């Protein structure tokens, strides 16, 4: 399926991103890693088929050439996620949303997520920490259920999946990935994507 690809991201400003990497990182180093992860994810989405690519941004950052752009809005991350789908919705077009915390993400995996919506109403990629790294919806309006899902907990992925099932949606699961929150996470992501900007940035800190 030729879906719209959404990237929800935060501008890589020192002291506002990847704070759980400090220490061992300085705020500036953590922001550098965030910037690298963001650039890697943009490159990955550019390499995947898409009806449109949209950056859903908190803060000020460069918008990739050819991308649509909307500002994040809402009180809390759950509302921002729901609004990301609502504010970018295209008639008759599915949407697949990812974040900037999985620099090991590949274009093939993004394409598989979109293709999964040919046979399922939703696709969900759980994260190792209990959250999720990607959500695709054949009908973006279904993202309204996210408003009632507690975010950034060990139950977020499970609660998201249940909320979608309660709406009557069929769900296909994507591979489990590891989000980058801690230094150990960063090392694991770099190992999975050794040629990435993220891996190079991490190597410069070690």
């Amino acid at each position: 399926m030729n879906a719209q690809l959404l990237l929800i991201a935060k501008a890589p400003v020192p002291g506002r991103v990847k704070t759980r990497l400090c220490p061992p990182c300085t705020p500036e180093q953590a922001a550098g890693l965030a910037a690298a992860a963001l650039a890697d994810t943009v490159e990955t989405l550019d390499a995947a088929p898409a009806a449109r690519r949209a950056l859903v941004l908190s803060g000020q950052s460069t918008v990739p050439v050819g991308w649509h752009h909307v500002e994040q809005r809402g009180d809390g991350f759950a509302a921002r996620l729901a609004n990301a789908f609502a504010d970018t919705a295209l008639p008759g077009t599915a949407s697949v949303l990812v974040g900037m915390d999985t620099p090991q993400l590949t274009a093939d995996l993004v394409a598989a997520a979109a293709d999964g919506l040919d046979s399922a109403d939703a696709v969900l990629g759980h994260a190792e920490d209990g959250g999720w790294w990607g959500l695709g919806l054949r009908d973006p309006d279904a993202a309204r259920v996210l408003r009632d899902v507690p975010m950034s907990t060990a139950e977020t992925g499970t609660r998201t999946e249940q909320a979608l099932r309660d709406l009557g949606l069929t769900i296909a699961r994507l591979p489990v990935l590891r989000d980058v929150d801690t230094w150990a996470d960063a090392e694991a992501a770099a190992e999975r994507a050794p040629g990435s900007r993220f891996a190079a940035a991490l190597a410069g800190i070690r």
Side-chain angles (χ1 to χ4, degrees):
M1 178 174 288
N2 197 25
Q4 176 179 214
L5 303 181
L6 310 180
L7 172 53
I8 189 162
K10 184 183 292 186
V13 176
R16 297 191 61 190
V17 291
K18 295 298 164 206
T19 55
R20 289 177 61 187
L21 292 175
C22 306
C25 293
T26 66
E28 290 73 20
Q29 289 171 331
L33 287 171
L38 177 56
D40 284 333
T41 309
V42 167
E43 184 176 80
T44 294
L45 298 190
D46 270 335
R52 185 175 72 176
R53 299 171 184 86
L55 179 65
V56 185
L57 184 66
S58 173
Q60 300 295 317
S61 188
T62 301
V63 177
V65 175
W67 284 50
H68 182 62
H69 166 242
V70 298
E71 292 291 329
Q72 291 182 28
R73 65 179 182 89
D75 184 13
F77 194 49
R80 288 171 178 255
L81 287 168
N83 290 333
F85 280 94
D87 294 346
T88 59
L90 296 172
T93 303
S95 291
V96 175
L97 178 145
V98 300
M100 57 185 282
D101 293 337
T102 49
Q104 72 273 39
L105 184 66
T106 66
D108 285 345
L109 185 48
V110 174
D115 289 344
L117 294 171
D118 286 327
S119 55
D121 299 317
V123 293
L124 182 64
H126 286 261
E128 287 186 11
D129 64 1
W132 52 265
W133 61 265
L135 172 63
L137 296 169
R138 190 183 296 173
D139 179 2
D141 181 63
R144 66 185 185 275
V145 302
L146 298 175
R147 298 181 187 277
D148 297 321
V149 175
M151 293 294 156
S152 302
T153 77
E155 300 295 324
T156 294
T158 300
R159 295 281 294 273
T160 298
E161 184 167 332
Q162 188 59 54
L164 295 170
R165 292 192 188 283
D166 288 346
L167 200 61
L169 303 187
T170 58
I171 301 170
R173 284 193 176 186
L174 301 171
V176 175
L177 296 182
R178 186 169 179 172
D179 281 344
V180 174
D181 291 315
T182 66
W183 182 257
D185 296 335
E187 290 186 315
E191 185 176 341
R192 292 295 300 271
S196 64
R197 294 176 182 84
F198 184 84
L202 190 71
I205 296 172
R206 287 171 170 155

